[in-house]
């Protein structure tokens, strides 16, 4: 971590940026509070100064200054981090909210995206041309944070991870150089950016491959959380999402559908606990009803399923804004055991009943067909090293009072231990990955307990070498920092 900003630093920055349209905001200036605002109120920190650039050249100037002065540096893309990695306490903050152009090329089915855009903006821009790409499962997530950490989305079963569809990035590295990274240009940097990208520079533009995309059949089915119903829902989910016994082929959905098993207390249910199943099906309503027939036969108490465009489907699991939120990642394997879900449900009910401020808390078991993610690329092909046949889960406490910060985070840790226990029962070594990693999706599991070596496994030494080349002073160090190779 670098040092905090001084009044002299601010004076020098003003001089450096004079004659440009970049904004420089101090804590007393209009726009500062908005710049340090985050999706999770618990992730907000008071930056010493905020720079709001409009192009890569302004960023280059300021990056060189920050490196020379050894300032603590953070980058706000979409502002969706719950760990505080897009914030700095007294340091220099880049706010990329003025760099969010969406430029679609219908002929090549590609899209160029500014580093400050969120996935909802990308979805809407592509929808005008009948296209979509693999974004996050929540559309107000920032493009930068999700992509640089790997990126699972509702289309991953069909097209792979977000980084599998990344064509190039334009990145400002610690020297201030503005580089293009792709398979043909600076391929070592491109390899590193796809999974550990937060460590290597500030991305001003992403270029993605897009695909033709029609309407989807999407929404949520809600069920009563009674034990017999839980068992029926788990059985249906297993039938739909469990692949061949050898683990090598596709599921019944063949990548056409993704979903999530969700424990929640939705407002429209009067705050009562609901076992919900989110469904995002890449096909017609008729095809979807046939594919998910087993769930409908159980008798949901409510259904919001309907044909919608992809950019609407990608809002299915939107969380509310203005809360203090934490995310703790976990993993599980299929087939799910009803006793596992019942145990987690019991802890969820107890926690949200005893701590009224935590009523908005959710637990999400993500469900998808992992075949394409595991066959389109390997754990060597990108720095992202957690491809596998496991599923991701997210333990997400929501609360309002700062005095409950420790309570929410500790409960998330404790709940993830239950996931670990049941994963071990599935026959896999607890938290052991297949590439020298712990099985943890860094975009979900990044506020404690995991080291960079755990996340990147056998890729870590190579990352250290690339880090020494592009950021020897470790200027970019906010999320799963990679120590430069000496």
């Amino acid at each position: 971590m670098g040092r905090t900003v001084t009044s002299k630093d601010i004076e020098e920055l003003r001089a450096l940026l004079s004659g440009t349209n970049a904004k420089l905001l101090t804590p007393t200036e209009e726009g500062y509070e908005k710049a340090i605002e985050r999706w999770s109120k618990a992730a907000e920190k008071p930056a010493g100064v905020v720079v709001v650039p409009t192009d890569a050249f302004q960023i280059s100037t300021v990056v060189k200054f920050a490196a020379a002065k050894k300032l603590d540096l953070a980058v706000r893309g979409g502002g969706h981090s719950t760990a505080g990695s897009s914030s700095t306490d007294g340091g220099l903050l880049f706010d990329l909210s003025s760099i969010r152009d969406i430029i679609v090329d219908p002929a090549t089915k590609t899209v160029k995206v500014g580093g400050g855009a969120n996935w909802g903006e990308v979805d809407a821009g592509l929808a005008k041309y009948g296209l979509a790409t693999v974004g996050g499962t929540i559309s107000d997530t920032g493009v930068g944070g999700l992509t640089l950490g790997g990126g699972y989305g509702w289309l991953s079963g069909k097209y792979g991870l977000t980084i599998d569809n990344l064509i190039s990035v334009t990145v400002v590295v610690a020297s201030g150089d503005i580089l293009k990274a792709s398979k043909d240009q600076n391929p070592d940097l491109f390899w590193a950016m796809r999974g550990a990208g937060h460590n290597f520079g500030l991305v001003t533009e992403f270029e993605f491959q897009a695909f033709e995309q029609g309407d989807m059949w999407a929404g949520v089915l809600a069920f009563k959380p009674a034990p017999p119903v839980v068992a029926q829902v788990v059985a249906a989910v297993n039938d739909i999402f469990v692949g061949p016994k050898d683990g090598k082929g596709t599921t019944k959905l063949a990548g056409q559908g993704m979903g999530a098993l969700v424990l929640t207390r939705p407002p429209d249910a009067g705050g009562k606990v609901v076992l919900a199943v989110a469904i995002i099906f890449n096909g017609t309503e008729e095809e979807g009803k046939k594919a998910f027939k087993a769930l409908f036969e159980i008798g949901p108490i409510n259904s919001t399923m309907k044909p919608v465009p992809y950019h609407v489907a990608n809002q299915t699991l939107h969380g509310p804004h203005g809360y203090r939120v934490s995310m703790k990642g976990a993993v599980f394997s299929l087939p799910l055991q009803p006793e596992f879900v019942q145990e987690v449900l019991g802890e969820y009910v107890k926690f949200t009943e005893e701590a009224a401020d935590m009523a908005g808390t959710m637990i999400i078991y993500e469900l998808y067909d992992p075949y394409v993610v595991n066959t389109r690329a390997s754990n060597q092909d990108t720095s992202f090293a957690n491809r596998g046949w496991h599923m991701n889960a997210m333990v997400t406490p929501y609360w309002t009072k700062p005095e409950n910060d420790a309570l929410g985070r500790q409960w998330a840790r404790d709940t993830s231990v239950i996931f670990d226990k049941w994963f071990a029962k599935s026959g896999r070594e607890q938290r052991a990955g297949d590439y020298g990693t712990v099985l943890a999706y860094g975009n979900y599991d990044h506020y404690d307990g995991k080291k960079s070596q755990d996340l990147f496994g056998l890729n870590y030494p190579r990352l250290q070498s690339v880090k020494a080349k592009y950021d020897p002073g470790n200027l970019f160090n906010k999320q799963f920092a990679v120590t430069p190779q000496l």
Side-chain angles (χ1 to χ4, degrees), residues 290-301:
K290 182 177 179 180
F292 292 90
K293 180 182 178 182
L295 284 168
F296 281 89
E297 289 178 340
I298 297 168
I301 56 176

Side-chain angles (χ1 to χ4, degrees), residues 3 95 97 107 109 174 184 191 195 221 231 238 241 281 297 301 304 310 315 324 353 375-376 378 414 445 469 485:
R3 68 171 176 84
D95 174 5
S97 58
K109 297 184 178 66
D184 300 319
W191 174 85
L221 301 179
N238 286 336
F241 286 100
F281 182 74
E297 289 178 340
I301 56 176
T304 64
Y310 170 76
Q315 300 170 22
R324 305 180 76 79
E353 283 181 351
T375 57
R376 182 165 178 182
S378 73
D414 294 343
D445 200 359
K469 179 178 178 180
Q485 189 176 63

Side-chain angles (χ1 to χ4, degrees), residues 248-311:
K248 303 296 184 182
T250 64
T251 68
K252 286 183 177 180
L253 298 177
Q256 269 192 286
M258 187 171 174
L261 190 67
V262 185
L263 308 183
T264 181
R265 289 181 181 268
D268 57 3
K272 294 180 180 179
V273 176
V274 166
L275 178 67
V277 180
I279 297 171
I280 310 294
F281 182 74
N282 200 2
T284 66
E285 181 174 5
E286 182 181 2
E287 292 169 336
K289 285 183 175 179
K290 182 177 179 180
F292 292 90
K293 180 182 178 182
L295 284 168
F296 281 89
E297 289 178 340
I298 297 168
I301 56 176
N302 189 44
S303 171
T304 64
M305 297 299 302
K306 60 184 177 181
V308 292
Y310 170 76
H311 69 279

Side-chain angles (χ1 to χ4, degrees), residues 105-126:
D105 185 339
T108 59
K109 297 184 178 66
T110 57
V111 58
K112 293 181 178 179
V113 180
N118 66 37
W119 284 108
E121 293 164 340
V122 177
D123 295 342
L126 286 169

Side-chain angles (χ1 to χ4, degrees), residues 297-376:
E297 289 178 340
I298 297 168
I301 56 176
N302 189 44
S303 171
T304 64
M305 297 299 302
K306 60 184 177 181
V308 292
Y310 170 76
H311 69 279
V312 175
N314 209 18
Q315 300 170 22
T316 301
L317 290 183
H318 264 204
H321 285 247
Y323 282 81
R324 305 180 76 79
V325 187
S326 181
M327 286 197 304
K328 180 68 177 169
V331 296
F332 65 98
S333 62
L334 294 177
L336 272 173
Q337 301 301 313
E339 296 85 0
F340 169 33
V341 177
Q342 196 66 57
E343 181 178 352
V344 174
L345 175 61
E347 293 298 322
Y348 174 83
V349 171
K350 179 182 177 183
F351 177 67
T352 52
E353 283 181 351
E354 293 179 351
D357 193 32
M358 298 287 177
T361 295
M362 292 190 293
I363 298 177
I364 301 173
Y365 297 73
E366 292 186 347
L367 302 159
Y368 84 115
D369 187 334
Y371 181 78
V372 174
V373 165
N374 286 293
T375 57
R376 182 165 178 182

